[in-house]
Amino acid sequence: MKVNVGGIDRLLRIVAGIVLLALVFVLKNESGFWLWGLIGIVPLATGLMSWCPAYSILGMNTCPMKEKK
């Protein structure tokens, strides 16, 4: 897995993931709505790993690091 998520993108993913996961605890008594909070696992995981499978498929890269030859 090659790093393809840059600094600001990574930070936004981590924050969005934490916010969405917080919905699990805030909406735990609502019927089914708390499940939407589990979507937060995806941006949190991709932010922590600095790798996004969708970026790999689409050939995108927000990481400013240059490849070593």
Side-chain angles (χ1 to χ4, degrees):
M1 293 186 310
K2 187 186 284 187
V3 174
N4 63 3
V5 177
I8 295 173
D9 188 11
R10 183 175 186 220
L11 179 65
L12 290 174
R13 287 170 183 262
I14 292 171
V15 170
I18 291 170
V19 168
L20 287 170
L21 283 173
L23 288 176
V24 171
F25 300 103
V26 173
L27 299 175
K28 64 182 174 186
N29 292 330
E30 302 294 325
S31 59
F33 287 111
W34 65 272
L35 290 171
W36 285 100
L38 294 178
I39 293 172
I41 293 172
V42 174
L44 183 61
T46 58
L48 292 174
M49 293 187 309
S50 297
W51 179 74
C52 178
Y55 277 10
S56 294
I57 293 169
L58 298 173
M60 296 174 61
N61 188 351
T62 61
C63 186
M65 294 174 33
K66 295 182 180 180
E67 292 183 30
K68 294 181 180 179
K69 294 182 180 181

